[in-house]
Amino acid sequence: MIVQKVPEIDGVRVIQVDPFTDPRGTFIKFEPMLQFKNRLDSVALSSNPKKGTIRGLHFQVEPFGEEKLVTCIQGAIFDVILDLRPNSKTVGKWCSFELSAKNVLQLYLPKGVAHGFQTLLPDSILHYCLSSTYSPDNSFSISPFGELGIDWPIKDFSISERDSNGLSISIGLQKYADSLQS
């Protein structure tokens, strides 16, 4: 396993996992506890049948802020992250990655980093290890359009109304900062 810092966003790590392959197939071991500072609370899957699907940019505020370990276990995605942490030297910055079943990369995100993606292939599946349970009252979405200037690779996309009408960056930054004061 190779762990690399991501210079664009403080605290984010890209992890190259070493799959074991033999004539029977491939075995990949995930070791989320090596990355998480807190406990691992839940595991989730996101199944996306359509190429071009956009989800996010999602985040949860405290006391349900989440560390995430994201892996694309089938297909491929254009992954986008945004730093919402008020005391981070990279606050307000975003960057993107390609995660796929072929490149076997994992992305570790600390609390306060919003996450979103667009599927590059049909039937893409993401595996999440999360440090907090889902809390609808503490869960928000930043609009993936406009302010950020993200050049989504697939122009014919599908997105939920909630995500399409997500918060502005300034409101998202404020919501996360306010949650740290509570």
Side-chain angles (χ1 to χ4, degrees), residues 90-104:
T90 56
V91 64
K93 305 279 187 209
W94 70 273
C95 65
S96 63
F97 306 86
E98 183 173 320
L99 302 181
S100 71
K102 286 185 180 180
N103 69 18
V104 198

Side-chain angles (χ1 to χ4, degrees), residues 39-119:
R39 71 177 201 268
L40 173 62
D41 194 78
S42 61
V43 175
L45 290 176
S46 172
S47 177
N48 305 276
K50 292 182 179 179
K51 176 180 175 178
T53 298
I54 295 175
R55 292 187 187 250
L57 304 167
H58 299 145
F59 69 101
Q60 286 196 164
V61 297
E62 296 299 343
F64 293 94
E66 298 173 309
E67 291 176 77
K68 297 179 182 180
L69 188 62
V70 182
T71 312
C72 183
I73 60 173
Q74 181 174 300
I77 63 164
F78 174 76
D79 199 274
V80 177
I81 59 174
L82 168 66
D83 192 348
L84 299 173
R85 299 166 297 165
N87 297 323
S88 168
K89 62 185 175 190
T90 56
V91 64
K93 305 279 187 209
W94 70 273
C95 65
S96 63
F97 306 86
E98 183 173 320
L99 302 181
S100 71
K102 286 185 180 180
N103 69 18
V104 198
L105 294 177
Q106 294 180 314
L107 194 57
Y108 167 77
L109 308 175
K111 291 180 180 185
V113 175
H115 175 258
F117 64 89
Q118 182 178 49
T119 56

